[in-house]
Amino acid sequence: MITTVSLTLKVFVVETAKYLHEQCGYDVTLICDDDEEFKNSLPNYIHYIPVHMGRGIDLSALKSIKQFIQIFKEQQFDMVQYSTPNAACYASIASKIAKVPVRLYCQWGIRYVGMSGISRKIFKAIEKMVCRNSTDIRAVSPMNKAFAVSEGLYPEEKAVVVGKGGTIGVDMRRYDISKKAEYRLLIHNQYNISDDAFVYGFAGRVSADKGCTELLTAFQKITESVPGARLLIVGPMEDNCGVPAEILEWARKSEQIVMTGMVDGTKMNEYYSAMDVLVHPTYREGFGMVLQEAGALGIAIITTKIPGASEVMEEGVSCLLVEPKDVLQLEVAMKKLIADREYSQKIGQAAYERTKRYYARPIMLENQRVDYEKILSK
């Protein structure tokens, strides 16, 4: 199982690897860029091989592919699984050359969506090559699969969506809704947010393609009529994030906005609990882990009508959907939930029920186990 960096393995893959070993006795090896700390965190029954993979366009690509070929020939894997752009590019080429019987591409997103011009053409060609090199593809959601098929990346029968989509789901023991009130109070006290304040939340990196320009612009308008509203932004600020400097400057000075910066990922359950609504106005998305995490805690959700993000919850039942890049629609949706708090709580509860039914980790891991057995039985 291969990704470019260890963080992706840690968040999306390690629990699957453990489950497959424990339930099926599979011998699993993880490969990513060198990370000694990550290696030491793994149980002794999971093997680890470092392969340098620079992010972005990297001149060491040929060296990485050559190393992969050597590893695959030595190890004689029955199956190689890869995801994330560089890892998928290198491993798909090498595993085909090494004649690995099953080459599984986990297509957790399509990188060139949102690009234009020559960049789009180059990255679409790479994506098409990865799909062609793979014997099997797992699309992250039905709409992502439909888009890929419409783009000619692969024929419909080559890809499958496991369950309702997504990766490993949510650990609902950690995202424990019974502790929501306790965590809410903790974060409100930490950031001096009054207990009766209505809190909009954002979780992720602060950047234009996550919809932060629209979020801040819409919230700025809301503050004009609702002085009790608050916005809690949880995540790092990117260099050259693309959000206009003047709106960022206003946000930094606003007494109604809290910007936490990077926080410990193990405490995200506490930060979600402080929110009344998660606002996720992203331009592109795989399947939206933050939506599942917020859903586990019964948080009302606003997100965009795009593949992935719009498929996690049900429109009007467990979320509200708006068009990406549409400030007015976002403002209307945000105002709707602060004006009708009973409705906000109702869709939050529906988000919890849907998460528990489809995205709880044991359900997602078992779906994957059945799928792996089906792939390998061929």
Side-chain angles (χ1 to χ4, degrees), residues 1 21 48 57 78 105 150 154 161 176 202 215 217 219 222 226 230 236 252 255 265 267 284 305 323 332 349:
M1 297 168 133
H21 176 81
Y48 171 76
I57 301 297
D78 296 299
Y105 176 32
S150 73
Y154 49 76
V161 177
D176 183 353
F202 171 86
L215 171 61
T217 305
F219 186 71
I222 288 168
V226 190
R230 294 289 181 270
R252 289 191 181 102
E255 294 181 358
K267 294 186 180 296
R284 59 185 177 86
K305 295 179 181 178
E323 292 291 342
V332 168
Q349 180 62 28

Side-chain angles (χ1 to χ4, degrees), residues 207 238-243:
S207 66
E238 284 196 336
D239 295 331
N240 304 315
C241 66
V243 179

Side-chain angles (χ1 to χ4, degrees), residues 206-226:
V206 178
S207 66
D209 66 350
K210 289 292 182 183
C212 290
T213 304
E214 291 77 12
L215 171 61
L216 291 172
T217 305
F219 186 71
Q220 187 176 37
K221 293 181 179 179
I222 288 168
T223 59
E224 294 169 5
S225 55
V226 190

Side-chain angles (χ1 to χ4, degrees), residues 162-232:
V162 178
K164 289 283 183 181
T167 52
I168 61 167
V170 186
D171 182 353
M172 297 188 76
R173 294 169 302 178
R174 186 154 77 86
Y175 289 83
D176 183 353
I177 199 168
S178 70
K179 295 181 179 177
K180 180 178 173 180
E182 173 192 336
Y183 291 147
R184 179 183 176 89
L185 186 61
L186 185 74
I187 298 298
H188 278 226
N189 287 342
Q190 182 178 339
Y191 291 100
N192 198 26
I193 300 170
S194 67
D195 195 41
D196 60 349
F198 189 90
V199 180
Y200 297 104
F202 171 86
R205 56 187 172 81
V206 178
S207 66
D209 66 350
K210 289 292 182 183
C212 290
T213 304
E214 291 77 12
L215 171 61
L216 291 172
T217 305
F219 186 71
Q220 187 176 37
K221 293 181 179 179
I222 288 168
T223 59
E224 294 169 5
S225 55
V226 190
R230 294 289 181 270
L231 175 59
L232 178 64

